[in-house]
Amino acid sequence: MNVRTLCLAILNAGDSTGYEIRKLVTDGYFSHFVDASYGSIYPALNRLETEGLVTSREELQAGKPARKVYSIADEGREAFVDALSTPARKDNFKSEFLLLAMCAELMKPAHLTRAIDAQIEYLKGELEIIDAAVEETDMLGGDWVANYGRACLQSGLNYITENRSELEALAGLGRAARSDVIAAE
Amino acid sequence: MNVRTLCLAILNAGDSTGYEIRKLVTDGYFSHFVDASYGSIYPALNRLETEGLVTSREELQAGKPARKVYSIADEGREAFVDALSTPARKDNFKSEFLLLAMCAELMKPAHLTRAIDAQIEYLKGELEIIDAAVEETDMLGGDWVANYGRACLQSGLNYITENRSELEALAGLGRAARSDVIAAE
DNA sequence: TAGGCCATGTAACCGGTTACATGATTAG
DNA sequence: CTAATCATGTAACCGGTTACATGGCCTA
């Protein structure tokens, strides 16, 4: 899903600004299965507007910068429904933590422990985001998606907390076999 | 994790070729948490070699193209351990399926059903890949990572199969409200 | 005989990130 | 007084994908 389509999806659920869309996809409701930065959102919205798929209006605010509020147009809704009807791509999951876990034997124990702690915090954070944001959307599929996210995140979290000691037992084994590394410290 | 580091990780566990690395990351052991294409793997290996982090040898085969087998060098192992000791980035998960699920009310029922079926097949496929590949690696963390993957994938799969009807009940609701679309069909 | 597998590689392209520019307001 | 929040935007850069080129062997 490119940022264009993502913007249409969010605008389909209600008017929004570039700033708000970015918050939604990095800290908000959508953050656990999409991502985008200002540098892609603002150009996407501009292009969407020149193509007539969305419209915008300026809203002046006292003491704050003006907001540029975008609304989806009928053409945009059509384009979005079209996009929805082309077969979805496979999920894309990249995890540096898992790559690192595979190589646990090369890591210093303290470092592995820190990485595991960080991963646990990250997963807890994601769960909290879902809990906090679940009430804030009109999208009918919101609850369903939130529960899907909870199920996956929670099972990962449970697995890590219950089995971390097994992984931690591996730390350093690869290093111990190479005393040159140890000696250099 | 960039492709460079990924190559080092795989070569750290044993010699390999660009072709094999690509298979590992798209259909094999690593496929559920990393990805890379030929267009990034081959240049990465070349650069790694010119920098002295890996070495290569040609292996001629009867009736098949020659293989260029890469081995990690001591310098490469060091560089990899260094990379491992910098704090890991957050997981990156992107799911077109979940975006689509959030907008279930805009989809034709038949289409949603197909998307759900596809997602179920995808998850089952990922689980099968893990089961098939789990014996094929020397990496000590392999089992642990495989079980982490199984836990997440399985809970997602369970959630979908048990709750798909709720989502399917939403399909078309957004379209029904706009009879113009229906009439145009 | 068509297509898939093995196997390596390149070049054009592109989507997206990073970092920057701007600037008022508010909270700590 | 500092840092964060609100708010929009641009430009350089970059990592990676897509598509192509090559070609023999094996299977359906």
Side-chain angles (χ1 to χ4, degrees):
Chain A
M1 91 246 67
N2 54 9
V3 176
R4 249 175 91 80
T5 315
L6 179 57
C7 289
L8 287 177
I10 291 172
L11 293 176
N12 182 60
D15 293 358
S16 193
T17 69
Y19 190 81
E20 284 168 358
I21 290 175
R22 195 256 174 176
K23 277 194 76 180
L24 278 174
V25 300
T26 58
D27 321 306
Y29 200 86
F30 294 81
S31 68
H32 84 103
F33 62 91
V34 293
D35 201 20
S37 63
Y38 291 137
S40 57
I41 292 168
Y42 284 119
L45 289 170
N46 279 327
R47 213 184 114 199
L48 247 17
E49 189 173 20
T50 61
E51 291 172 9
L53 304 190
V54 304
T55 57
S56 75
R57 59 179 189 279
E58 287 247 318
E59 271 183 14
L60 300 174
Q61 308 178 109
K64 284 184 191 172
R67 299 154 34 92
K68 199 166 168 186
V69 182
Y70 289 89
S71 308
I72 196 164
D74 286 342
E75 285 183 49
R77 201 166 269 119
E78 275 171 47
F80 180 54
V81 172
D82 280 357
L84 241 34
S85 67
T86 63
R89 281 187 213 165
K90 288 182 175 182
D91 291 356
N92 175 297
F93 175 60
K94 295 199 181 180
S95 175
E96 224 166 279
F97 170 74
L98 290 181
L99 188 66
L100 166 156
M102 289 212 72
C103 307
E105 78 265 20
L106 293 179
M107 297 186 70
K108 291 188 208 173
H111 215 100
L112 216 209
T113 293
R114 237 176 296 141
I116 292 171
D117 289 340
Q119 183 72 3
I120 288 173
E121 286 315 303
Y122 158 71
L123 292 172
K124 283 184 181 170
E126 289 290 300
L127 281 165
E128 275 166 30
I129 286 171
I130 292 178
D131 290 339
V134 73
E135 301 293 343
E136 287 171 26
T137 180
D138 308 332
M139 291 172 133
L140 294 181
D143 281 356
W144 196 91
V145 169
N147 285 328
Y148 181 101
R150 281 196 192 101
C152 297
L153 255 11
Q154 191 64 56
S155 67
L157 186 57
N158 291 344
Y159 181 82
I160 297 185
T161 51
E162 285 162 22
N163 300 283
R164 61 179 296 169
S165 55
E166 276 178 43
L167 193 63
E168 284 173 309
L170 265 32
L173 296 185
R175 286 156 45 80
R178 297 186 307 122
S179 51
D180 53 322
V181 177
I182 307 292
E185 283 167 13
Chain B
M1 93 247 66
N2 54 10
V3 176
R4 247 174 93 79
T5 315
L6 179 58
C7 289
L8 287 178
I10 291 172
L11 293 175
N12 181 61
D15 294 357
S16 192
T17 69
Y19 190 80
E20 285 168 357
I21 290 174
R22 195 257 174 175
K23 279 193 76 179
L24 278 175
V25 300
T26 58
D27 321 306
Y29 201 86
F30 295 81
S31 68
H32 83 104
F33 61 92
V34 292
D35 200 21
S37 64
Y38 290 136
S40 57
I41 291 168
Y42 284 119
L45 289 171
N46 279 327
R47 213 184 115 199
L48 247 17
E49 190 172 19
T50 62
E51 291 172 9
L53 303 191
V54 304
T55 57
S56 75
R57 59 178 189 280
E58 286 247 317
E59 271 184 14
L60 299 174
Q61 307 178 109
K64 284 184 192 172
R67 300 156 30 94
K68 198 166 169 187
V69 182
Y70 289 90
S71 308
I72 196 165
D74 286 341
E75 284 183 51
R77 202 166 269 118
E78 274 170 49
F80 180 54
V81 171
D82 280 357
L84 242 33
S85 67
T86 63
R89 280 187 214 166
K90 289 181 175 183
D91 291 356
N92 175 298
F93 176 59
K94 296 199 181 180
S95 176
E96 224 165 279
F97 170 74
L98 290 181
L99 187 66
L100 167 156
M102 288 211 71
C103 308
E105 78 265 21
L106 293 179
M107 297 187 69
K108 291 189 208 170
H111 216 98
L112 216 208
T113 292
R114 239 176 295 142
I116 293 171
D117 288 341
Q119 183 72 2
I120 288 173
E121 286 314 304
Y122 158 72
L123 293 172
K124 282 184 181 170
E126 289 289 301
L127 281 166
E128 276 166 29
I129 286 171
I130 292 178
D131 289 339
V134 75
E135 300 293 342
E136 287 169 26
T137 180
D138 307 333
M139 290 172 134
L140 294 181
D143 282 356
W144 196 91
V145 169
N147 286 327
Y148 181 100
R150 281 196 192 101
C152 297
L153 255 12
Q154 191 64 56
S155 67
L157 187 56
N158 291 344
Y159 181 82
I160 297 185
T161 49
E162 285 162 22
N163 299 283
R164 62 178 297 169
S165 56
E166 276 178 43
L167 192 64
E168 284 174 310
L170 265 33
L173 295 186
R175 285 157 43 83
R178 298 186 305 121
S179 50
D180 53 325
V181 176
I182 307 293
E185 283 168 12

